[in-house]
């Protein structure tokens, strides 16, 4: 366990400068909750003693004592006997109130806004039926394809060729989803003494997957407006990570798209520091607006990049197929790691995806885009009506809004929203090392009418949370914390 960071009283006084003093203890507590929720005061930080903070702020000891008590009561701090007061977050670092693993909980009018995955597009059942008709010709073999069926490898490679990135079938490794692909890369390329650099916010399951080989996590903040490459350069020089996870196309959860100029510069930085980019391209087909599109493949600038793709977002989550596109020099190493995890994906699903890729894939994806565009617009209109003080950047693609709340309280909101029949993933779920409690991800992957109703319920829940000053405690749940699956 790493040693806790301590925050000096003078530094904390500068951070809370100007807090509301009517009454002072409540204003100080509110200021501290926001700093902790946003991550400006890190998770597990030791706060100054009451005496030191009293002197630094020029307030009474009672003010600080009561403020710290409010923090503890609202689960933003805990007292450790003989050690002091340490910051925490309601529900832990990354609690996600997802119930997708317990389908019985998602019913009776409950709206799930945790899982960012759309229903299957029209025509998928027919493609499965055609693939079943193809299946008998493959029954005479053993059915194991650790790197993927050759026809599917060739079909996936052709999609990269079409994007201007020449790729041979031998560079493709087919996996049961992008997350499994990421775990293979982490297991093969980052050992226990090596650093893995992740953005914050990021897709939470990718964090553990990329650390499958025991790599040590390092994070870098992703600005709401985009990638700070000067900060990236500093972080690369300081930590020398082996792997760097990048989502340049319709980033999950922010929806950001990296410019081609930034891709080129980022790639040069990674090459300079011998860091291997792991490029998550799961959303690159989901451009929703006219003129919006994913940029040049990151691997066009970084020849040693390992790309991870998926059929789950652009086609259907039930088609559990992903893939790795790797440099020739890494393919054997990745296949050996992959065999340590599983021996391949089902033949039928591979036949389905081969048919889709070689058929009218554009029609399938265009249908998904049209549906997502309509749902996104319905959700943003509902937010403008019911929660006009929430801020978000209209995403040109992807599947979710990344909403900035007026005050910290996303975790409390996710708990209260559940009482109103909506399941939410709060910002801390996407923060590998805590923080981001002023953000919430709102997927627009379900029907427009349900999204409008969900926003109305969220507005009611937010009114309860703000009336309580963001301090409403999460209700303890039985059993282990559920996970965020998409």
């Amino acid at each position: 366990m790493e040693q806790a960071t301590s925050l000096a009283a003078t530094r904390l006084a500068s951070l809370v400068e100007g807090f509301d003093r009517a009454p002072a203890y409540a204003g100080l507590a509110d200021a501290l909750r926001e700093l902790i929720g946003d991550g400006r005061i890190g998770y597990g930080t030791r706060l100054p003693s009451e005496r030191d903070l009293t002197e630094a702020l020029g307030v009474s000891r009672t003010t600080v004592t009561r403020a710290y008590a409010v923090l503890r009561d609202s689960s933003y701090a805990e007292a450790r006997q003989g050690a002091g007061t340490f910051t925490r977050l309601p529900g832990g670092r990354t609690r996600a109130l997802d119930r997708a693993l317990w389908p019985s909980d998602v019913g009776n009018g409950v709206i799930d806004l945790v899982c960012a995955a759309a229903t299957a597009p029209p025509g998928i059942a027919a493609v499965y039926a055609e693939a079943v008709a193809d299946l008998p010709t493959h029954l005479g073999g053993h059915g194991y394809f650790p790197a993927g069926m050759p026809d599917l490898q060739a079909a996936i490679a052709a999609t990269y060729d079409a994007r201007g990135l020449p790729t041979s079938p031998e560079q493709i490794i087919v996996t049961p989803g992008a997350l499994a692909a990421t775990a293979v890369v982490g297991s093969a390329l980052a050992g226990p003494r090596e650093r893995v650099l992740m953005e914050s916010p990021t897709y939470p399951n990718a964090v553990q997957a990329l650390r499958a080989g025991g790599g040590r996590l390092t994070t870098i903040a992703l600005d709401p407006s985009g990638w700070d490459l000067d900060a990236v350069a500093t972080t690369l020089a300081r930590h020398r990570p082996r792997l760097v996870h990048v989502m340049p196309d319709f980033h999950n959860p922010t929806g950001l798209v990296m410019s081609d100029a930034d891709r080129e510069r980022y790639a040069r930085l990674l090459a300079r520091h011998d860091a291997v980019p792991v490029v998550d391209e799961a959303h690159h087909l989901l451009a929703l607006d006219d003129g919006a599109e994913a940029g040049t493949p990151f691997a066009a600038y970084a020849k040693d990049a390992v790309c991870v793709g998926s059929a789950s977002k652009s086609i259907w989550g039930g088609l559990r197929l992903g893939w790795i596109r790797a440099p020739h020099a890494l393919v054997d190493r990745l296949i050996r790691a992959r065999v340590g995890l599983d021996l391949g994906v089902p033949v039928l699903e591979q036949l389905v995806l081969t048919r889709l890729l070689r058929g009218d894939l554009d029609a399938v994806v265009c249908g998904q885009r049209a549906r997502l565009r309509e749902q996104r617009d319905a959700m943003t209109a509902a937010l403008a009506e019911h929660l006009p003080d929430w801020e978000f950047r209209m995403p040109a693609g992807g599947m979710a809004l990344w909403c900035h709340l007026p005050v910290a309280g996303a975790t409390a909101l996710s708990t209260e929203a559940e009482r109103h029949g909506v399941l939410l993933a709060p910002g801390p779920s996407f923060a590998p090392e805590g923080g981001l409690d002023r953000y919430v991800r709102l997927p627009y992957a379900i029907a427009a009418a349900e999204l409008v109703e969900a926003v109305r319920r969220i507005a009611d829940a937010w009114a309860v949370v703000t009336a309580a000053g963001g301090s409403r405690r999460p209700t303890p749940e039985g059993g282990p914390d559920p996970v965020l699956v998409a």
Side-chain angles (χ1 to χ4, degrees), residues 182-213:
T182 305
V184 169
V185 175
S187 178
L189 302 183
R193 294 186 178 183
E194 294 176 304
R195 291 279 183 178
V196 174
L197 179 62
M198 305 287 295
E199 297 160 344
S200 182
T202 193
Y203 175 49
N205 291 346
V207 176
Q208 293 304 319
L210 205 56
R211 296 175 64 203

PDB file of all heavy atoms in Angstrom, residues 182-213:
ATOM      1  N   THR A 182      -8.042  -6.301 -24.824  1.00  0.00           N
ATOM      2  CA  THR A 182      -7.221  -5.438 -23.977  1.00  0.00           C
ATOM      3  C   THR A 182      -6.490  -6.248 -22.910  1.00  0.00           C
ATOM      4  O   THR A 182      -5.324  -5.987 -22.599  1.00  0.00           O
ATOM      5  CB  THR A 182      -8.101  -4.361 -23.327  1.00  0.00           C
ATOM      6  OG1 THR A 182      -8.813  -3.648 -24.343  1.00  0.00           O
ATOM      7  CG2 THR A 182      -7.265  -3.370 -22.532  1.00  0.00           C
ATOM      8  N   ALA A 183      -7.177  -7.241 -22.351  1.00  0.00           N
ATOM      9  CA  ALA A 183      -6.543  -8.089 -21.341  1.00  0.00           C
ATOM     10  C   ALA A 183      -5.389  -8.894 -21.938  1.00  0.00           C
ATOM     11  O   ALA A 183      -4.355  -9.087 -21.288  1.00  0.00           O
ATOM     12  CB  ALA A 183      -7.579  -9.027 -20.724  1.00  0.00           C
ATOM     13  N   VAL A 184      -5.540  -9.357 -23.168  1.00  0.00           N
ATOM     14  CA  VAL A 184      -4.450 -10.075 -23.828  1.00  0.00           C
ATOM     15  C   VAL A 184      -3.238  -9.158 -23.977  1.00  0.00           C
ATOM     16  O   VAL A 184      -2.099  -9.552 -23.691  1.00  0.00           O
ATOM     17  CB  VAL A 184      -4.903 -10.597 -25.207  1.00  0.00           C
ATOM     18  CG1 VAL A 184      -3.708 -11.111 -26.006  1.00  0.00           C
ATOM     19  CG2 VAL A 184      -5.936 -11.695 -25.051  1.00  0.00           C
ATOM     20  N   VAL A 185      -3.480  -7.923 -24.405  1.00  0.00           N
ATOM     21  CA  VAL A 185      -2.378  -6.975 -24.581  1.00  0.00           C
ATOM     22  C   VAL A 185      -1.692  -6.700 -23.246  1.00  0.00           C
ATOM     23  O   VAL A 185      -0.456  -6.713 -23.144  1.00  0.00           O
ATOM     24  CB  VAL A 185      -2.897  -5.664 -25.200  1.00  0.00           C
ATOM     25  CG1 VAL A 185      -1.773  -4.627 -25.277  1.00  0.00           C
ATOM     26  CG2 VAL A 185      -3.479  -5.916 -26.586  1.00  0.00           C
ATOM     27  N   GLY A 186      -2.480  -6.458 -22.200  1.00  0.00           N
ATOM     28  CA  GLY A 186      -1.889  -6.203 -20.892  1.00  0.00           C
ATOM     29  C   GLY A 186      -1.098  -7.378 -20.371  1.00  0.00           C
ATOM     30  O   GLY A 186      -0.008  -7.212 -19.799  1.00  0.00           O
ATOM     31  N   SER A 187      -1.631  -8.578 -20.562  1.00  0.00           N
ATOM     32  CA  SER A 187      -0.948  -9.778 -20.087  1.00  0.00           C
ATOM     33  C   SER A 187       0.367 -10.002 -20.825  1.00  0.00           C
ATOM     34  O   SER A 187       1.366 -10.417 -20.228  1.00  0.00           O
ATOM     35  CB  SER A 187      -1.868 -10.990 -20.271  1.00  0.00           C
ATOM     36  OG  SER A 187      -1.239 -12.176 -19.859  1.00  0.00           O
ATOM     37  N   ALA A 188       0.378  -9.692 -22.118  1.00  0.00           N
ATOM     38  CA  ALA A 188       1.565  -9.966 -22.931  1.00  0.00           C
ATOM     39  C   ALA A 188       2.654  -8.915 -22.798  1.00  0.00           C
ATOM     40  O   ALA A 188       3.838  -9.232 -22.859  1.00  0.00           O
ATOM     41  CB  ALA A 188       1.164 -10.091 -24.398  1.00  0.00           C
ATOM     42  N   LEU A 189       2.268  -7.660 -22.614  1.00  0.00           N
ATOM     43  CA  LEU A 189       3.233  -6.581 -22.829  1.00  0.00           C
ATOM     44  C   LEU A 189       3.613  -5.761 -21.602  1.00  0.00           C
ATOM     45  O   LEU A 189       4.550  -4.968 -21.681  1.00  0.00           O
ATOM     46  CB  LEU A 189       2.695  -5.636 -23.913  1.00  0.00           C
ATOM     47  CG  LEU A 189       2.397  -6.274 -25.276  1.00  0.00           C
ATOM     48  CD1 LEU A 189       1.938  -5.204 -26.263  1.00  0.00           C
ATOM     49  CD2 LEU A 189       3.609  -7.018 -25.812  1.00  0.00           C
ATOM     50  N   ALA A 190       2.915  -5.908 -20.488  1.00  0.00           N
ATOM     51  CA  ALA A 190       3.245  -5.093 -19.307  1.00  0.00           C
ATOM     52  C   ALA A 190       3.363  -5.978 -18.077  1.00  0.00           C
ATOM     53  O   ALA A 190       2.357  -6.477 -17.564  1.00  0.00           O
ATOM     54  CB  ALA A 190       2.197  -4.009 -19.081  1.00  0.00           C
ATOM     55  N   GLY A 191       4.595  -6.178 -17.605  1.00  0.00           N
ATOM     56  CA  GLY A 191       4.837  -7.006 -16.439  1.00  0.00           C
ATOM     57  C   GLY A 191       4.692  -6.243 -15.137  1.00  0.00           C
ATOM     58  O   GLY A 191       4.426  -5.032 -15.118  1.00  0.00           O
ATOM     59  N   PRO A 192       4.884  -6.924 -13.993  1.00  0.00           N
ATOM     60  CA  PRO A 192       4.635  -6.330 -12.683  1.00  0.00           C
ATOM     61  C   PRO A 192       5.438  -5.077 -12.373  1.00  0.00           C
ATOM     62  O   PRO A 192       5.002  -4.257 -11.572  1.00  0.00           O
ATOM     63  CB  PRO A 192       4.987  -7.469 -11.710  1.00  0.00           C
ATOM     64  CG  PRO A 192       4.806  -8.710 -12.514  1.00  0.00           C
ATOM     65  CD  PRO A 192       5.217  -8.353 -13.905  1.00  0.00           C
ATOM     66  N   ARG A 193       6.603  -4.906 -12.962  1.00  0.00           N
ATOM     67  CA  ARG A 193       7.413  -3.731 -12.639  1.00  0.00           C
ATOM     68  C   ARG A 193       7.239  -2.595 -13.641  1.00  0.00           C
ATOM     69  O   ARG A 193       7.909  -1.573 -13.538  1.00  0.00           O
ATOM     70  CB  ARG A 193       8.883  -4.126 -12.577  1.00  0.00           C
ATOM     71  CG  ARG A 193       9.207  -5.088 -11.439  1.00  0.00           C
ATOM     72  CD  ARG A 193      10.700  -5.337 -11.345  1.00  0.00           C
ATOM     73  NE  ARG A 193      11.026  -6.230 -10.229  1.00  0.00           N
ATOM     74  CZ  ARG A 193      12.254  -6.580  -9.880  1.00  0.00           C
ATOM     75  NH1 ARG A 193      13.285  -6.107 -10.578  1.00  0.00           N
ATOM     76  NH2 ARG A 193      12.463  -7.397  -8.870  1.00  0.00           N
ATOM     77  N   GLU A 194       6.332  -2.781 -14.593  1.00  0.00           N
ATOM     78  CA  GLU A 194       6.179  -1.794 -15.652  1.00  0.00           C
ATOM     79  C   GLU A 194       4.920  -0.966 -15.448  1.00  0.00           C
ATOM     80  O   GLU A 194       3.919  -1.440 -14.910  1.00  0.00           O
ATOM     81  CB  GLU A 194       6.160  -2.490 -17.011  1.00  0.00           C
ATOM     82  CG  GLU A 194       7.510  -3.132 -17.326  1.00  0.00           C
ATOM     83  CD  GLU A 194       7.492  -3.916 -18.618  1.00  0.00           C
ATOM     84  OE1 GLU A 194       6.644  -4.824 -18.739  1.00  0.00           O
ATOM     85  OE2 GLU A 194       8.334  -3.640 -19.495  1.00  0.00           O
ATOM     86  N   ARG A 195       4.983   0.278 -15.899  1.00  0.00           N
ATOM     87  CA  ARG A 195       3.880   1.217 -15.743  1.00  0.00           C
ATOM     88  C   ARG A 195       2.903   1.131 -16.913  1.00  0.00           C
ATOM     89  O   ARG A 195       3.295   0.927 -18.056  1.00  0.00           O
ATOM     90  CB  ARG A 195       4.414   2.651 -15.653  1.00  0.00           C
ATOM     91  CG  ARG A 195       5.178   2.952 -14.371  1.00  0.00           C
ATOM     92  CD  ARG A 195       4.230   3.249 -13.237  1.00  0.00           C
ATOM     93  NE  ARG A 195       4.946   3.605 -12.016  1.00  0.00           N
ATOM     94  CZ  ARG A 195       4.323   3.947 -10.891  1.00  0.00           C
ATOM     95  NH1 ARG A 195       3.011   3.981 -10.836  1.00  0.00           N
ATOM     96  NH2 ARG A 195       5.033   4.248  -9.811  1.00  0.00           N
ATOM     97  N   VAL A 196       1.631   1.312 -16.581  1.00  0.00           N
ATOM     98  CA  VAL A 196       0.568   1.396 -17.570  1.00  0.00           C
ATOM     99  C   VAL A 196      -0.111   2.750 -17.385  1.00  0.00           C
ATOM    100  O   VAL A 196      -0.624   3.049 -16.309  1.00  0.00           O
ATOM    101  CB  VAL A 196      -0.458   0.258 -17.384  1.00  0.00           C
ATOM    102  CG1 VAL A 196      -1.642   0.451 -18.321  1.00  0.00           C
ATOM    103  CG2 VAL A 196       0.206  -1.095 -17.619  1.00  0.00           C
ATOM    104  N   LEU A 197      -0.088   3.578 -18.417  1.00  0.00           N
ATOM    105  CA  LEU A 197      -0.653   4.926 -18.326  1.00  0.00           C
ATOM    106  C   LEU A 197      -2.073   4.920 -18.878  1.00  0.00           C
ATOM    107  O   LEU A 197      -2.310   4.503 -20.009  1.00  0.00           O
ATOM    108  CB  LEU A 197       0.218   5.917 -19.102  1.00  0.00           C
ATOM    109  CG  LEU A 197      -0.268   7.378 -19.122  1.00  0.00           C
ATOM    110  CD1 LEU A 197      -0.293   7.963 -17.714  1.00  0.00           C
ATOM    111  CD2 LEU A 197       0.632   8.219 -20.029  1.00  0.00           C
ATOM    112  N   MET A 198      -3.014   5.391 -18.052  1.00  0.00           N
ATOM    113  CA  MET A 198      -4.426   5.474 -18.442  1.00  0.00           C
ATOM    114  C   MET A 198      -4.899   6.909 -18.299  1.00  0.00           C
ATOM    115  O   MET A 198      -4.443   7.655 -17.434  1.00  0.00           O
ATOM    116  CB  MET A 198      -5.289   4.587 -17.544  1.00  0.00           C
ATOM    117  CG  MET A 198      -4.877   3.139 -17.456  1.00  0.00           C
ATOM    118  SD  MET A 198      -5.233   2.180 -18.935  1.00  0.00           S
ATOM    119  CE  MET A 198      -7.022   2.214 -18.971  1.00  0.00           C
ATOM    120  N   GLU A 199      -5.856   7.285 -19.130  1.00  0.00           N
ATOM    121  CA  GLU A 199      -6.494   8.592 -18.995  1.00  0.00           C
ATOM    122  C   GLU A 199      -7.504   8.558 -17.863  1.00  0.00           C
ATOM    123  O   GLU A 199      -7.992   7.494 -17.459  1.00  0.00           O
ATOM    124  CB  GLU A 199      -7.205   8.955 -20.309  1.00  0.00           C
ATOM    125  CG  GLU A 199      -6.271   9.097 -21.483  1.00  0.00           C
ATOM    126  CD  GLU A 199      -6.967   8.978 -22.820  1.00  0.00           C
ATOM    127  OE1 GLU A 199      -8.118   8.489 -22.864  1.00  0.00           O
ATOM    128  OE2 GLU A 199      -6.336   9.359 -23.827  1.00  0.00           O
ATOM    129  N   SER A 200      -7.841   9.720 -17.350  1.00  0.00           N
ATOM    130  CA  SER A 200      -8.914   9.854 -16.375  1.00  0.00           C
ATOM    131  C   SER A 200      -9.746  11.077 -16.757  1.00  0.00           C
ATOM    132  O   SER A 200      -9.215  12.178 -16.780  1.00  0.00           O
ATOM    133  CB  SER A 200      -8.362  10.026 -14.958  1.00  0.00           C
ATOM    134  OG  SER A 200      -9.411  10.118 -14.016  1.00  0.00           O
ATOM    135  N   PRO A 201     -10.991  10.859 -17.174  1.00  0.00           N
ATOM    136  CA  PRO A 201     -11.779   9.630 -17.100  1.00  0.00           C
ATOM    137  C   PRO A 201     -11.444   8.659 -18.223  1.00  0.00           C
ATOM    138  O   PRO A 201     -10.880   9.039 -19.241  1.00  0.00           O
ATOM    139  CB  PRO A 201     -13.214  10.137 -17.242  1.00  0.00           C
ATOM    140  CG  PRO A 201     -13.087  11.343 -18.132  1.00  0.00           C
ATOM    141  CD  PRO A 201     -11.799  12.006 -17.692  1.00  0.00           C
ATOM    142  N   THR A 202     -11.844   7.401 -17.991  1.00  0.00           N
ATOM    143  CA  THR A 202     -11.669   6.377 -19.007  1.00  0.00           C
ATOM    144  C   THR A 202     -12.669   5.266 -18.753  1.00  0.00           C
ATOM    145  O   THR A 202     -13.367   5.250 -17.725  1.00  0.00           O
ATOM    146  CB  THR A 202     -10.234   5.821 -18.987  1.00  0.00           C
ATOM    147  OG1 THR A 202     -10.009   5.058 -20.166  1.00  0.00           O
ATOM    148  CG2 THR A 202      -9.988   4.940 -17.770  1.00  0.00           C
ATOM    149  N   TYR A 203     -12.766   4.318 -19.692  1.00  0.00           N
ATOM    150  CA  TYR A 203     -13.631   3.162 -19.518  1.00  0.00           C
ATOM    151  C   TYR A 203     -13.065   2.306 -18.397  1.00  0.00           C
ATOM    152  O   TYR A 203     -11.943   1.804 -18.495  1.00  0.00           O
ATOM    153  CB  TYR A 203     -13.701   2.385 -20.830  1.00  0.00           C
ATOM    154  CG  TYR A 203     -14.465   1.092 -20.755  1.00  0.00           C
ATOM    155  CD1 TYR A 203     -15.727   1.039 -20.168  1.00  0.00           C
ATOM    156  CD2 TYR A 203     -13.929  -0.077 -21.274  1.00  0.00           C
ATOM    157  CE1 TYR A 203     -16.427  -0.149 -20.103  1.00  0.00           C
ATOM    158  CE2 TYR A 203     -14.622  -1.276 -21.214  1.00  0.00           C
ATOM    159  CZ  TYR A 203     -15.873  -1.307 -20.627  1.00  0.00           C
ATOM    160  OH  TYR A 203     -16.570  -2.493 -20.569  1.00  0.00           O
ATOM    161  N   PRO A 204     -13.797   2.115 -17.291  1.00  0.00           N
ATOM    162  CA  PRO A 204     -13.185   1.530 -16.089  1.00  0.00           C
ATOM    163  C   PRO A 204     -12.697   0.100 -16.252  1.00  0.00           C
ATOM    164  O   PRO A 204     -11.661  -0.263 -15.692  1.00  0.00           O
ATOM    165  CB  PRO A 204     -14.311   1.622 -15.045  1.00  0.00           C
ATOM    166  CG  PRO A 204     -15.560   1.807 -15.825  1.00  0.00           C
ATOM    167  CD  PRO A 204     -15.193   2.542 -17.066  1.00  0.00           C
ATOM    168  N   ASN A 205     -13.417  -0.737 -17.007  1.00  0.00           N
ATOM    169  CA  ASN A 205     -12.978  -2.121 -17.124  1.00  0.00           C
ATOM    170  C   ASN A 205     -11.676  -2.261 -17.886  1.00  0.00           C
ATOM    171  O   ASN A 205     -10.949  -3.248 -17.718  1.00  0.00           O
ATOM    172  CB  ASN A 205     -14.075  -2.961 -17.780  1.00  0.00           C
ATOM    173  CG  ASN A 205     -15.284  -3.129 -16.868  1.00  0.00           C
ATOM    174  OD1 ASN A 205     -15.202  -2.850 -15.681  1.00  0.00           O
ATOM    175  ND2 ASN A 205     -16.395  -3.552 -17.426  1.00  0.00           N
ATOM    176  N   ALA A 206     -11.371  -1.286 -18.738  1.00  0.00           N
ATOM    177  CA  ALA A 206     -10.101  -1.332 -19.467  1.00  0.00           C
ATOM    178  C   ALA A 206      -8.913  -1.198 -18.523  1.00  0.00           C
ATOM    179  O   ALA A 206      -7.816  -1.695 -18.817  1.00  0.00           O
ATOM    180  CB  ALA A 206     -10.057  -0.237 -20.523  1.00  0.00           C
ATOM    181  N   VAL A 207      -9.119  -0.545 -17.395  1.00  0.00           N
ATOM    182  CA  VAL A 207      -8.026  -0.343 -16.445  1.00  0.00           C
ATOM    183  C   VAL A 207      -7.511  -1.686 -15.950  1.00  0.00           C
ATOM    184  O   VAL A 207      -6.313  -1.990 -16.033  1.00  0.00           O
ATOM    185  CB  VAL A 207      -8.492   0.533 -15.265  1.00  0.00           C
ATOM    186  CG1 VAL A 207      -7.377   0.664 -14.230  1.00  0.00           C
ATOM    187  CG2 VAL A 207      -8.941   1.907 -15.756  1.00  0.00           C
ATOM    188  N   GLN A 208      -8.417  -2.506 -15.418  1.00  0.00           N
ATOM    189  CA  GLN A 208      -7.988  -3.803 -14.901  1.00  0.00           C
ATOM    190  C   GLN A 208      -7.525  -4.734 -16.022  1.00  0.00           C
ATOM    191  O   GLN A 208      -6.594  -5.516 -15.846  1.00  0.00           O
ATOM    192  CB  GLN A 208      -9.137  -4.454 -14.118  1.00  0.00           C
ATOM    193  CG  GLN A 208      -9.494  -3.715 -12.836  1.00  0.00           C
ATOM    194  CD  GLN A 208      -8.303  -3.539 -11.904  1.00  0.00           C
ATOM    195  OE1 GLN A 208      -7.487  -4.439 -11.728  1.00  0.00           O
ATOM    196  NE2 GLN A 208      -8.177  -2.372 -11.314  1.00  0.00           N
ATOM    197  N   ALA A 209      -8.186  -4.652 -17.172  1.00  0.00           N
ATOM    198  CA  ALA A 209      -7.797  -5.521 -18.284  1.00  0.00           C
ATOM    199  C   ALA A 209      -6.366  -5.247 -18.725  1.00  0.00           C
ATOM    200  O   ALA A 209      -5.587  -6.169 -18.967  1.00  0.00           O
ATOM    201  CB  ALA A 209      -8.758  -5.324 -19.456  1.00  0.00           C
ATOM    202  N   LEU A 210      -6.008  -3.975 -18.817  1.00  0.00           N
ATOM    203  CA  LEU A 210      -4.674  -3.636 -19.300  1.00  0.00           C
ATOM    204  C   LEU A 210      -3.600  -3.945 -18.265  1.00  0.00           C
ATOM    205  O   LEU A 210      -2.422  -4.046 -18.600  1.00  0.00           O
ATOM    206  CB  LEU A 210      -4.632  -2.162 -19.705  1.00  0.00           C
ATOM    207  CG  LEU A 210      -3.583  -1.770 -20.751  1.00  0.00           C
ATOM    208  CD1 LEU A 210      -3.745  -2.601 -22.018  1.00  0.00           C
ATOM    209  CD2 LEU A 210      -3.695  -0.302 -21.091  1.00  0.00           C
ATOM    210  N   ARG A 211      -4.024  -4.109 -17.023  1.00  0.00           N
ATOM    211  CA  ARG A 211      -3.080  -4.465 -15.964  1.00  0.00           C
ATOM    212  C   ARG A 211      -3.055  -5.975 -15.707  1.00  0.00           C
ATOM    213  O   ARG A 211      -2.593  -6.428 -14.669  1.00  0.00           O
ATOM    214  CB  ARG A 211      -3.448  -3.741 -14.681  1.00  0.00           C
ATOM    215  CG  ARG A 211      -3.340  -2.213 -14.775  1.00  0.00           C
ATOM    216  CD  ARG A 211      -3.848  -1.547 -13.505  1.00  0.00           C
ATOM    217  NE  ARG A 211      -3.033  -1.907 -12.364  1.00  0.00           N
ATOM    218  CZ  ARG A 211      -3.458  -1.864 -11.096  1.00  0.00           C
ATOM    219  NH1 ARG A 211      -4.691  -1.490 -10.827  1.00  0.00           N
ATOM    220  NH2 ARG A 211      -2.649  -2.196 -10.122  1.00  0.00           N
ATOM    221  N   ALA A 212      -3.543  -6.758 -16.685  1.00  0.00           N
ATOM    222  CA  ALA A 212      -3.646  -8.209 -16.496  1.00  0.00           C
ATOM    223  C   ALA A 212      -2.298  -8.859 -16.229  1.00  0.00           C
ATOM    224  O   ALA A 212      -2.220  -9.910 -15.586  1.00  0.00           O
ATOM    225  CB  ALA A 212      -4.302  -8.847 -17.721  1.00  0.00           C
ATOM    226  N   GLY A 213      -1.228  -8.265 -16.739  1.00  0.00           N
ATOM    227  CA  GLY A 213       0.099  -8.814 -16.506  1.00  0.00           C
ATOM    228  C   GLY A 213       0.746  -8.302 -15.233  1.00  0.00           C
ATOM    229  O   GLY A 213       1.910  -8.622 -14.965  1.00  0.00           O
TER     230      GLY A 213
END
